[in-house]
Amino acid sequence: MSRPGKFAKSSRIKQLRQFNRRKQQQGGNTIPWEQVPDFLLGRYHLTQGAQVTPLVDATMQRFFSEWLTTAQAAGPQQVQWSLTALTPPTLKRIGNQVPWQFYAVLATQFVQWQHFFRKEGPAVPITPRRQIIDPLAAPAITQMIAQQLAVNLLTVMATPITNQQLMQLVASFLSNQQIKWSAVATLFGPLGFAVTAPEGSPAYRWLNDLQALTVSDFED
């Protein structure tokens, strides 16, 4: 998973503003393929960052950067980016590199992020333009996150993952198409989460701030 701080917010915003100025001056500019993540992450922070806490903003940017890594792996000629197809492998790669609170934040923000991405993705000035397709409905998002949490738990417990075990655990996490974060915390809590990032680094602070969130931050 990309380390927090890899895409420095100030650097992204500066690059985005510089690009916008050049575009206004020259007209019709496009950006290189490798600059797409910085461009979109900069746009996300500028348009969405002020609406959420810094911790939520940082968490969603980490998810977004991983999602873009998944999407770009297909190459620049793959113009259709499917939210339904690309989100599960993104979650799988993130896996247990984050505490359960990461997924709780994602669950609360995914719909808004998806709305942003469906609007901004096709507007990225690259050739050919991207098409953001197959949006996820809220119940599908919830199911997807619950399933990844179940996989994460069984992986940590070194338990062979069978379909029956997975389905039972997913069901235990869900109630009325919502994730029961109290159930998630009860199972993940005793296992703990070890922060291996260097002490004092952006990743270290971010992961510890995530772990400080409690069930009451996500359930009424």
Side-chain angles (χ1 to χ4, degrees):
M1 183 179 176
S2 303
R3 289 180 58 188
K6 178 180 178 182
F7 303 105
K9 292 179 185 177
S10 59
S11 175
R12 283 199 297 269
I13 294 170
K14 182 178 180 181
Q15 290 171 359
L16 183 59
R17 288 173 176 165
Q18 288 174 342
F19 169 78
N20 286 336
R21 284 197 295 269
R22 289 196 300 270
K23 185 176 180 181
Q24 291 172 359
Q25 294 168 359
Q26 300 175 15
N29 280 11
T30 60
I31 61 174
W33 173 245
E34 62 272 12
Q35 290 184 13
V36 169
D38 280 351
F39 183 90
L40 279 168
L41 290 164
R43 283 292 299 163
Y44 183 82
H45 178 66
L46 285 172
T47 60
Q48 308 295 311
Q51 302 176 30
V52 296
T53 66
L55 178 58
V56 170
D57 180 40
T59 300
M60 290 306 299
Q61 292 226 19
R62 302 312 177 261
F63 167 75
F64 199 3
S65 68
E66 290 296 327
W67 200 99
L68 291 170
T69 297
T70 304
Q72 286 194 298
Q77 298 308 312
Q78 178 59 49
V79 299
Q80 292 188 324
W81 285 354
S82 167
L83 287 153
T84 297
L86 295 174
T87 301
T90 299
L91 297 179
K92 181 179 179 180
R93 191 173 63 253
I94 295 170
N96 279 314
Q97 298 180 66
V98 295
W100 66 264
Q101 289 93 334
F102 175 96
Y103 295 94
V105 171
L106 177 61
T108 66
Q109 298 296 316
F110 192 99
V111 170
Q112 182 63 29
W113 170 80
Q114 181 174 250
H115 177 77
F116 159 86
F117 192 31
R118 293 183 69 195
K119 177 183 177 182
E120 296 288 341
V124 176
I126 55 175
T127 303
R129 295 290 179 109
R130 303 299 99 171
Q131 300 171 21
I132 313 303
I133 64 172
D134 302 330
L136 288 160
I141 296 164
T142 299
Q143 181 75 22
M144 197 174 289
I145 292 175
Q147 181 162 324
Q148 186 59 53
L149 284 164
V151 170
N152 291 352
L153 184 64
L154 292 172
T155 301
V156 170
M157 298 173 65
T159 301
I161 301 176
T162 66
N163 286 335
Q164 182 179 4
Q165 288 174 317
L166 189 61
M167 291 174 60
Q168 289 175 343
L169 192 53
V170 169
S172 74
F173 286 159
L174 295 173
S175 176
N176 297 321
Q177 296 187 330
Q178 298 292 324
I179 296 177
K180 297 185 293 184
W181 295 109
S182 55
V184 173
T186 296
L187 292 176
F188 276 92
L191 300 173
F193 178 81
V195 177
T196 58
E199 187 171 351
S201 67
Y204 182 88
R205 292 192 295 270
W206 171 61
L207 290 169
N208 277 286
D209 287 346
L210 272 179
Q211 288 195 88
L213 298 175
T214 66
V215 171
S216 63
D217 291 306
F218 307 108
E219 291 185 352
D220 295 332

